């Protein structure tokens, strides 16, 4: 298949479906999309091929008929080559409109590795959005690519325009990663009054669960969050 074909993609999804995985995944997501149960590594491999096809504008314009189709859109973004910024951001914004699930957001966003100024500005803008999935994408993008941009991190956490579990947990996840990659900003956020008690509680949970943070650092960072 050299050009996007919705029917062919749907045939692939049906053929690769795993009932046991579908039942497992249905317990983790609240998506309104139909779940077929295709495993992530299989989707990633297929997305790599999709990224080389013609007709991607049509692909991204398509309303996803199922969860895996939506996931493929996001995964394809991370494999696009020789694409200018205007088109990349246009496709990204189209895709985010389809998202209704944390796993799609995180899987697609973590696959995009860009440290350029254009993506930095886009990530900051998304983080401050009032839309939950735009905001979560922004924080995960910052966590993945801009964890060393101290002023930016403080600005988007202090000035966030969206709240709720999925955004708060994204900020908590960012703080956990900062405990490993940017201790100074992690310390500042865990002590800051502008970080809500809920976010700090989630951050403590994430820190305790981390395999990359030593026991001593877990005690240190958790004490900061709990004002001890």
């Amino acid at each position: 298949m050299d050009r996007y074909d919705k029917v062919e993609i749907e045939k692939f999804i049906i053929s690769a479906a795993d009932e046991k995985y579908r039942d497992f995944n249905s317990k983790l997501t609240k998506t309104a999309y139909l779940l077929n149960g295709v495993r992530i590594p299989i989707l990633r491999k297929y997305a790599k091929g999709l990224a080389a096809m013609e007709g991607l504008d049509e692909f991204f314009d398509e309303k996803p008929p199922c969860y895996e189709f939506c996931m493929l859109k996001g995964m394809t973004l991370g494999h696009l080559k020789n694409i200018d910024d205007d088109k990349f951001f246009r496709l990204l914004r189209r895709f985010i409109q389809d998202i209704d699930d944390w796993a799609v957001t995180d899987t697609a966003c973590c696959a995009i590795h860009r440290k350029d100024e254009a993506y930095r500005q886009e990530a900051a803008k998304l983080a401050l959005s009032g839309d939950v999935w735009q905001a979560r994408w922004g924080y995960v993008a910052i966590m993945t690519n801009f964890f060393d941009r101290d002023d930016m991190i403080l600005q988007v956490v202090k000035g966030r325009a969206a709240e709720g579990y999925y955004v708060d947990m994204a900020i908590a996840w960012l703080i956990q990663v900062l405990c490993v990659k940017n201790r100074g900003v992690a310390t500042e956020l865990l002590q800051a009054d502008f970080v809500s008690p809920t976010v700090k509680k989630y951050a403590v949970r994430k820190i305790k669960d981390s395999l990359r943070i030593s026991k001593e650092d877990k005690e240190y960072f958790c004490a900061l969050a709990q004002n001890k």
Side-chain angles (χ1 to χ4, degrees), residues 10-90:
E10 291 180 301
K11 286 180 179 178
F12 154 73
I13 291 171
I14 292 171
S15 68
D18 181 326
E19 184 177 349
K20 290 184 178 179
Y21 183 68
R22 181 198 65 200
D23 293 343
F24 168 77
N25 207 22
S26 67
K27 299 174 183 178
L28 302 177
T29 176
K30 295 181 179 179
T31 182
Y33 290 117
L34 171 69
L35 273 170
N36 291 276
V38 183
R39 294 180 181 273
I40 295 297
I42 296 173
L43 290 172
R44 284 200 182 106
K45 183 177 180 179
Y46 194 82
K48 188 174 182 180
L50 276 175
M53 292 181 185
E54 299 292 332
L56 288 183
D57 279 326
E58 185 180 351
F59 173 47
F60 280 91
D61 279 339
E62 198 80 62
K63 183 65 178 176
C66 63
Y67 180 83
E68 290 79 11
F69 194 101
C70 187
M71 183 72 85
L72 281 171
K73 279 190 179 186
M75 290 178 169
T76 300
L77 282 170
H79 291 294
L80 295 177
K81 306 295 183 183
N82 302 319
I83 182 173
D84 62 57
D85 282 349
D86 285 345
K87 184 169 185 178
F88 174 81
F89 291 123
R90 187 167 70 251

Side-chain angles (χ1 to χ4, degrees), residues 143-178:
M143 177 194 75
T144 305
N145 298 285
F146 305 107
F147 51 81
D148 56 346
R149 299 296 294 267
D150 298 14
D151 291 343
M152 174 192 185
I153 294 168
L154 294 172
Q155 179 185 7
V156 297
V157 173
K158 187 174 183 178
R160 73 183 189 278
E163 295 182 351
Y165 176 80
Y166 294 107
V167 176
D168 287 347
M169 186 57 81
I171 298 171
W173 189 14
L174 169 61
I175 292 172
Q176 179 214 55
V177 170
L178 293 172

Side-chain angles (χ1 to χ4, degrees), residues 154 183-195 200 224:
L154 294 172
R183 293 174 62 92
V185 174
T187 298
E188 188 167 351
L189 289 175
L190 288 169
Q191 292 178 310
D193 291 337
F194 59 77
V195 177
K200 290 182 180 180
L224 289 179

Side-chain angles (χ1 to χ4, degrees), residues 66-222:
C66 63
Y67 180 83
E68 290 79 11
F69 194 101
C70 187
M71 183 72 85
L72 281 171
K73 279 190 179 186
M75 290 178 169
T76 300
L77 282 170
H79 291 294
L80 295 177
K81 306 295 183 183
N82 302 319
I83 182 173
D84 62 57
D85 282 349
D86 285 345
K87 184 169 185 178
F88 174 81
F89 291 123
R90 187 167 70 251
L91 297 180
L92 171 63
R93 291 162 190 156
R94 287 183 194 172
F95 165 64
I96 293 177
Q97 292 176 6
D98 291 332
I99 295 175
D100 74 344
D101 169 70
W102 64 270
V104 172
T105 309
D106 298 354
T107 302
C109 189
C110 287
I112 295 175
H113 300 282
R114 292 183 51 154
K115 296 182 178 294
D116 57 279
E117 180 62 15
Y119 193 48
R120 187 197 70 80
Q121 291 184 14
E122 185 72 12
K125 179 181 178 181
L126 290 169
L128 295 176
S129 169
D131 176 83
V132 59
W133 304 119
Q134 288 184 30
R136 187 171 175 106
W137 185 286
Y139 289 113
V140 174
I142 292 166
M143 177 194 75
T144 305
N145 298 285
F146 305 107
F147 51 81
D148 56 346
R149 299 296 294 267
D150 298 14
D151 291 343
M152 174 192 185
I153 294 168
L154 294 172
Q155 179 185 7
V156 297
V157 173
K158 187 174 183 178
R160 73 183 189 278
E163 295 182 351
Y165 176 80
Y166 294 107
V167 176
D168 287 347
M169 186 57 81
I171 298 171
W173 189 14
L174 169 61
I175 292 172
Q176 179 214 55
V177 170
L178 293 172
C179 289
V180 177
K181 297 187 175 183
N182 192 335
R183 293 174 62 92
V185 174
T187 298
E188 188 167 351
L189 289 175
L190 288 169
Q191 292 178 310
D193 291 337
F194 59 77
V195 177
S196 73
T198 299
V199 169
K200 290 182 180 180
K201 179 181 71 174
Y202 292 158
V204 166
R205 185 192 309 172
K206 298 285 288 183
I207 290 166
K208 288 181 177 179
D209 289 343
S210 175
L211 299 177
R212 298 191 297 167
I213 302 174
S214 68
K215 179 181 177 181
E216 293 75 18
D217 279 347
K218 286 181 181 181
E219 293 175 353
Y220 169 70
F221 287 121
C222 291

